[in-house]
Amino acid sequence: MRSAPTILHLDMDAFYASVEQASKPSLRGKAVIVGGLGPRGVVATASYEARVLGVHSAMPMSQARRLAPNAAYLVPRFALYRSISDQVMALLRALSPLVEPLSLDEAFVDLEAGGTAWDERSARLVGAKLRADIRAVTGLTGSVGLAASKMLAKIASEQAKPDGLVVIEPGTERAMLEPMPVRTLPGVGPATGDHLRRAGIHTVGEIAEAGEDELVRLLGKAHGHALYAMALARDDRPVVAERETKSVSVEDTYDVDIHDRVRVGTEVARLADRCVRRLRGAGLSGRTIVLKVRRYDFSTLTRSETLRGPTDDPAVVREAAARLLDSVDTTGGVRLLGVGVSGLADYTQEDLFAQAAGSAGEEAAGEGEEPEPASEARPEVSAERRWPAGCDVRHAEYGHGWVQGSGLGRVTVRFETPVSAPGRVKTFRVDDPALEVAEPLPLVEGVR
C-alpha cells in the first residue's frame, strides 16, 4: 500500500436514474426507477428519492411498485448511458493512463501514475476538480473516494455519497475501519456476513481481533486469509488499465414463458445476430458459441460448441446456436434465452485466408453490418409496445418529448427538454403520423 492517497475511486450517483432526471425536468426531485417493466423485471437503478422508500437495485420490479406506487418507472436507455459514460471516462483518462473501469458508472484511477497527485493536498484538489468537470460536461454528480489502496478508495467513495468527496489519509485506515460493519469489506455478502455474525463477529475490528487462524477455520483458507488482510487495511492490488474481454453475450428474459419451439428458435437466431453486432462493434471474433436457456422451473442449462477458427459471421453463429438448441428440451417453457461467444480474438479465420492471398485490405473495405434477415425478424408486437416508458420522441407540432406511458391504442407524451422547464402533457393515437421516435438530447447545452 502506498504512502499517499493517490488512488481515486469514482462512483456516479444513481447513474441511470440521475441521467433520466437530468433529461426530464418534470422528474427532478422525484422518485425514479429504471429497469425492466414487465412482470419479471428487476430494478437497475433507483433515484435517491426512491431509495428512501426502500427501493434498491436488483429488487423485483413488482416489489418496487408496491413500495413506491407513485414513482416514475422507465426502461433503460443504454445507448445514452454509454455515451455519457464515455464523456466521464475521457475526463478520467486525462488524469492518468491507468484507469480501470468497473462499469459504465464506476472506475479506479491511479493519480500517481499520471503525475497529477503525489500527496493528500494534491489528491484532494484533483478530486474536487474532477467532480466540477463532471458536472460541467454531463450535468451529473459523482462521488469520489481517495486513499492509498483500491479497497479503501472504494469505501471512501461510499462514504462520500451522494455528491461528495472523502479522503482517507495514510495512517488512519485501521482506526477508520474498526467500527465499521463486516459487510463494508469487499467480498463479504449476506452469507459470509451471517456466518461471521453467528461466530460473534460484527465489525471489521472484531475480524482483526479474531485472528487469521480463526478466520481460516470459519471461512476456509483463501477467504480467511483475504478477509484478515482487508481487516488490517492491507491491499496491494494495482489499478489495471485494460481488462481483457473474455466473452461477448446477450440475453433476454420473457414476461411470459415461451412454449412454441418455433418461437424459441426465432428468438435464438435474433439473439445470435445481436451478439455478432456487439462482437463486431468491439472489433472481435470468437471460436466458442454458447447457448443459455433458463426453463420454466428456473433450471438453467448452457451448451457450447467450439469452431475450428474464430468467426464474426452471423450465419455461422446462428447455425451453431440452432444446433445447440436442438439438444435442449424446452417443452415445459422457456423464461430466458442467451447467446454468447467466447475464445475471443481480434481476427477471423476469413481474415487469415485473405492475408495469405494478399487481399486483406480489400476485404476490410467492403465490411459493414449486415441487416437482420427478414425471415428472422421478431414476431409482430402490439402497437402499444412501440412506445416504451421513458423513450424519446418528437412531434411535428409540439417538438421533443418523452413517453410517460401507453396502452389501449394511446400514447401519453410529456414535451420537455433537458434545458427547459417541466413541460405539458399530450395524448395521441399510437399510430399518429406526426409522432416519431427521436434521439436523446444532450444533458448540457452545447456539449455532445
Side-chain angles (χ1 to χ4, degrees):
M1 193 165 68
R2 58 188 68 188
S3 59
T6 54
I7 291 184
L8 181 150
H9 181 260
L10 170 71
D11 198 347
M12 298 296 290
D13 299 322
F15 184 50
Y16 298 170
S18 293
V19 171
E20 299 301 340
Q21 289 176 318
S23 67
K24 301 172 171 66
S26 58
L27 297 184
R28 292 169 191 169
K30 298 182 180 178
V32 174
I33 298 169
V34 180
L37 303 188
R40 292 174 179 164
V42 297
V43 175
T45 305
S47 69
Y48 286 99
E49 296 85 355
R51 294 181 190 189
V52 300
L53 301 174
V55 181
H56 57 78
S57 60
M59 171 182 284
M61 193 62 79
S62 56
Q63 184 180 353
R65 290 185 185 276
R66 289 194 295 271
L67 293 171
N70 298 318
Y73 289 85
L74 308 174
V75 297
R77 297 186 292 165
F78 287 114
L80 176 60
Y81 307 152
R82 288 191 189 97
S83 69
I84 296 170
S85 173
D86 288 344
Q87 293 175 321
V88 174
M89 296 301 166
L91 292 174
L92 298 183
R93 292 189 177 99
L95 298 176
S96 173
L98 292 184
V99 176
E100 182 178 343
L102 304 180
S103 61
L104 291 178
D105 60 343
E106 185 181 3
F108 287 109
V109 185
D110 187 331
L111 300 178
E112 189 174 49
T116 49
W118 48 90
D119 59 11
E120 187 270 338
R121 181 176 177 276
S122 59
R124 189 181 293 273
L125 289 173
V126 168
K129 185 178 184 301
L130 173 64
R131 292 176 58 237
D133 289 345
I134 288 172
R135 187 184 288 274
V137 171
T138 69
L140 304 176
T141 63
S143 296
V144 170
L146 289 153
S149 71
K150 290 169 72 172
M151 179 190 79
L152 293 167
K154 184 171 176 61
I155 290 173
S157 70
E158 286 296 319
Q159 291 182 317
K161 282 185 167 293
D163 190 21
L165 184 150
V166 168
V167 179
I168 300 175
E169 297 182 29
T172 68
E173 300 94 345
R174 289 282 302 274
M176 180 209 66
L177 285 174
E178 283 179 356
M180 290 185 170
V182 295
R183 292 286 301 277
T184 302
L185 297 179
V188 180
T192 301
D194 287 345
H195 202 50
L196 292 170
R197 180 179 49 79
R198 288 194 296 271
I201 299 173
H202 302 274
T203 68
V204 176
E206 289 170 346
I207 291 177
E209 289 175 7
E212 192 167 15
D213 291 343
E214 177 64 9
L215 290 170
V216 168
R217 187 186 69 80
L218 287 171
L219 304 174
K221 188 173 182 181
H223 202 22
H225 286 312
L227 197 58
Y228 182 69
M230 287 189 289
L232 298 180
R234 296 174 185 164
D235 178 20
D236 294 323
R237 293 173 300 154
V239 175
V240 180
E242 295 295 335
R243 289 184 163 196
E244 183 180 357
T245 303
K246 294 184 176 162
S247 65
V248 173
S249 63
V250 297
E251 62 182 43
D252 275 345
T253 300
Y254 303 98
D255 294 344
V256 179
D257 289 349
I258 302 176
H259 294 271
D260 180 15
R261 182 75 177 187
V262 173
R263 168 83 189 283
V264 172
T266 299
E267 289 293 307
V268 167
R270 181 181 61 81
L271 289 166
D273 286 344
R274 272 178 56 197
C275 183
V276 168
R277 286 198 295 274
R278 184 172 293 183
L279 194 70
R280 287 182 167 183
L284 298 170
S285 61
R287 294 185 62 207
T288 301
I289 315 304
V290 181
L291 175 71
K292 177 180 177 181
V293 180
R294 181 166 297 148
R295 299 189 290 191
Y296 69 99
D297 58 357
F298 288 89
S299 62
T300 302
L301 304 176
T302 57
R303 299 286 186 269
S304 64
E305 175 181 321
T306 298
L307 309 174
R308 287 182 298 176
T311 185
D312 64 353
D313 186 330
V316 172
V317 177
R318 281 198 303 270
E319 290 166 7
R323 287 193 296 272
L324 294 170
L325 180 61
D326 287 341
S327 66
V328 178
D329 180 9
T330 63
T331 52
V334 170
R335 60 186 292 119
L336 176 147
L337 290 168
V339 174
V341 177
S342 61
L344 301 181
D346 57 3
Y347 65 90
T348 65
Q349 195 67 41
E350 291 83 356
D351 289 334
L352 298 180
F353 295 146
Q355 289 170 21
S359 59
E362 296 175 15
E363 292 284 333
E367 278 191 2
E369 185 171 296
E370 296 182 11
E372 291 189 13
S375 62
E376 292 168 355
R378 296 194 70 173
E380 185 176 346
V381 295
S382 64
E384 288 87 350
R385 298 199 59 189
R386 286 166 33 197
W387 306 107
C391 80
D392 293 89
V393 295
R394 176 168 290 280
H395 190 274
E397 179 180 354
Y398 300 108
H400 190 92
W402 58 278
V403 174
Q404 284 196 322
S406 64
L408 301 177
R410 299 283 176 177
V411 55
T412 299
V413 177
R414 184 180 287 273
F415 290 98
E416 59 187 6
T417 72
V419 297
S420 74
R424 56 183 172 174
V425 176
K426 296 281 185 180
T427 298
F428 309 91
R429 298 193 321 271
V430 294
D431 58 353
D432 189 324
L435 190 68
E436 61 183 4
V437 175
E439 291 296 317
L441 296 176
L443 300 186
V444 176
E445 202 165 18
V447 178
R448 286 189 173 272

